[in-house]
Amino acid sequence: MSAETAAATPSRVAVVGASAAGLSVVEGLRREGYTGSLTLIGEEKHLPYDRPPLSKQLLSGVWDTDRLHLRGEDDLQALDLELKLGQPATALDTAAGQVVLADGTVVGYDALVVATGTRARRLPGTESVRGVHVLRTLEDALALREDLGARPHLVVVGGGFVGAEAAAVARRLGCEVTLVTDTAQPMGDALGDELGALLRTVHQEHGVRIETGARVDEVLTDGGRASGVRLADGRSLTADAVLVGIGARPNTEWLTGSGVPVGNGVECDATLYAGSGVWAAGDVACWLNARTGEPWRIEHRTNAAEQGLAVARNILAGPERAVAFDPLPYVWSDQYDLKIQIYGRTRGADEVRIVEGSTAERKLVALYARNGRISAAVGINMVRALRGYRAQVAAAAPLLTGSAA
């Protein structure tokens, strides 16, 4: 760290959210030579842990909870930070530079990072119904895993990443599974119709009943426990347990009255700066993409880690010298024997072209384009081949005519 940078560096940094993004911030600051005061605040009582395995390895029972931890206690102690777990932030005073915690503790700061992530959306009126689950936290996953141990008939509401992955795990555990999605295909929003249809076929071959283009209006109960769901068309589906996977909401309510701009998350400029000494990282951050000018908010694990490091560097540089965050999004999903990987952003694509392999082989690379330029590449069981298209996605290269770009 240069003398000029050190002179402008805040002496106290507080990070709200002991998440992958929050951990990445504090580790990034120490790695870049920051020696000031660091406070990491977490709503959950757990050490920072990884969330993608919740719907995969942990839910299936292949992993125990200890394997989820991103760092051990010794690693966190080595960062020389004040760790406040099990204490959600309830208010923020940007003028005074103070965060108020649920127990009344006040944490002062010179620079603040909001990394509070998201929480699962729920169907109205189901919060206290036994047998109705969401899948966002460690406790969520453990509660669902316990229910799956009884081999129930599980109805999964929502065909996105969480719903499709949990359906695959439940089938492998021997549960009867019905998946209900309002899209034409499972993961249709992310994959489109052709690849979504492939995923649908694979799920059906493994015994999942799939209701597409359907919306759940109500969870039915019997004696305070879920007994099924009622669809918008009036049909009812029986169930012993229900998993609701219909997306997530940014955790921003505690910022009410703080002056921090909030909409679809914490609204930031291209450098992840929200103003008034406040930065944001992870699922809660909504920032302006430097190339397109569009607001982006990405709920993926790799993005959280990358944003945390970017915020750490920008805090040390200061808002005036901060660098725009311009990532190449990446996400993956494991379902049965399918390894699905995505570089870039598939949503909004107006053309999809399979350039290697085929849906019949269940091995392929598909390019997604928007206005004639490549916006994403999707690979199914073609890990090495997909990497070859990464640079074209990053450069928004033209989608050429012919069999490949």
Side-chain angles (χ1 to χ4, degrees):
M1 190 187 305
S2 67
E4 180 182 359
T5 301
T9 299
S11 61
R12 301 172 301 166
V13 177
V15 179
V16 183
S19 55
L23 177 65
S24 183
V25 173
V26 296
E27 289 189 327
L29 285 169
R30 291 302 191 217
R31 193 175 302 132
E32 294 291 330
Y34 179 69
T35 58
S37 170
L38 265 180
T39 304
L40 181 61
I41 301 163
E43 178 178 10
E44 297 183 62
K45 62 183 179 181
H46 311 290
L47 297 175
Y49 63 88
D50 216 5
R51 294 189 191 276
L54 295 180
S55 59
K56 306 178 185 74
Q57 296 94 333
L58 186 79
L59 187 61
S60 67
V62 174
W63 284 16
D64 59 23
T65 57
D66 289 342
R67 290 192 64 177
L68 295 179
H69 292 148
L70 294 169
R71 301 291 182 271
E73 290 187 27
D74 292 344
D75 298 315
L76 293 172
Q77 288 179 1
L79 293 172
D80 187 24
L81 54 81
E82 186 173 4
L83 192 59
K84 294 184 177 295
L85 298 178
Q87 285 297 327
T90 57
L92 173 65
D93 185 339
T94 54
Q98 294 180 336
V99 178
V100 181
L101 307 187
D103 66 355
T105 299
V106 175
V107 177
Y109 67 87
D110 302 306
L112 176 76
V113 182
V114 179
T116 46
T118 60
R119 66 186 182 280
R121 293 178 182 269
R122 296 178 180 268
L123 291 172
T126 62
E127 291 80 359
S128 60
V129 177
R130 287 179 288 114
V132 177
H133 300 269
V134 293
L135 190 48
R136 177 65 187 172
T137 68
L138 174 56
E139 282 77 14
D140 293 337
L142 292 176
L144 178 58
R145 188 170 77 176
E146 182 177 359
D147 259 14
L148 295 185
R151 306 297 183 265
H153 179 182
L154 176 70
V155 167
V156 178
V157 182
F161 283 90
V162 168
E165 290 173 356
V169 169
R171 278 302 298 144
R172 284 189 159 167
L173 292 175
C175 304
E176 185 179 352
V177 178
T178 301
L179 187 148
V180 182
T181 175
D182 59 2
T183 58
Q185 306 292 350
M187 290 181 60
D189 287 350
L191 298 178
D193 285 343
E194 186 173 6
L195 271 62
L198 166 60
L199 186 63
R200 177 181 183 175
T201 298
V202 172
H203 274 278
Q204 289 174 326
E205 287 177 354
H206 283 83
V208 177
R209 175 185 173 185
I210 298 181
E211 296 281 349
T212 58
R215 190 182 75 246
V216 171
D217 273 358
E218 180 186 5
V219 172
L220 304 175
T221 61
D222 182 6
R225 184 175 179 85
S227 61
V229 298
R230 179 174 289 117
L231 306 184
D233 62 10
R235 289 181 297 144
S236 296
L237 305 175
T238 60
D240 305 305
V242 176
L243 170 62
V244 179
I246 55 174
R249 288 191 173 93
N251 289 318
T252 58
E253 289 76 10
W254 68 282
L255 297 170
T256 300
S258 68
V260 173
V262 170
N264 179 27
V266 176
E267 297 178 345
C268 307
D269 65 15
T271 72
L272 302 169
Y273 187 57
S276 304
V278 177
W279 307 77
D283 296 2
V284 75
C286 182
W287 81 103
L288 291 179
N289 181 272
R291 284 185 286 179
T292 67
E294 298 174 331
W296 280 20
R297 190 175 68 80
I298 298 177
E299 297 178 8
H300 297 322
R301 171 67 175 81
T302 52
N303 180 74
E306 290 173 356
Q307 279 191 335
L309 292 175
V311 165
R313 290 190 291 266
N314 283 343
I315 287 174
L316 298 179
E320 296 79 12
R321 296 182 178 85
V323 176
F325 179 67
D326 188 18
L328 177 62
Y330 171 74
V331 64
W332 74 96
S333 180
D334 297 319
Q335 299 174 41
Y336 309 110
D337 57 351
L338 299 184
K339 177 77 171 182
I340 304 168
Q341 297 170 285
I342 303 174
Y343 285 114
R345 288 171 66 87
T346 57
R347 288 176 174 82
D350 50 36
E351 186 175 357
V352 180
R353 185 183 302 167
I354 296 175
V355 294
E356 293 194 36
S358 67
T359 55
E361 298 173 85
R362 299 184 179 179
K363 294 178 61 176
L364 60 86
V365 173
L367 296 180
Y368 292 62
R370 185 177 179 184
N371 299 324
R373 293 192 170 273
I374 298 171
S375 60
V378 174
I380 297 179
N381 291 341
M382 294 192 77
V383 176
R384 183 174 298 177
L386 180 66
R387 292 196 197 107
Y389 294 89
R390 188 180 186 279
Q392 295 182 49
V393 178
L399 182 63
L400 305 178
T401 57
S403 60

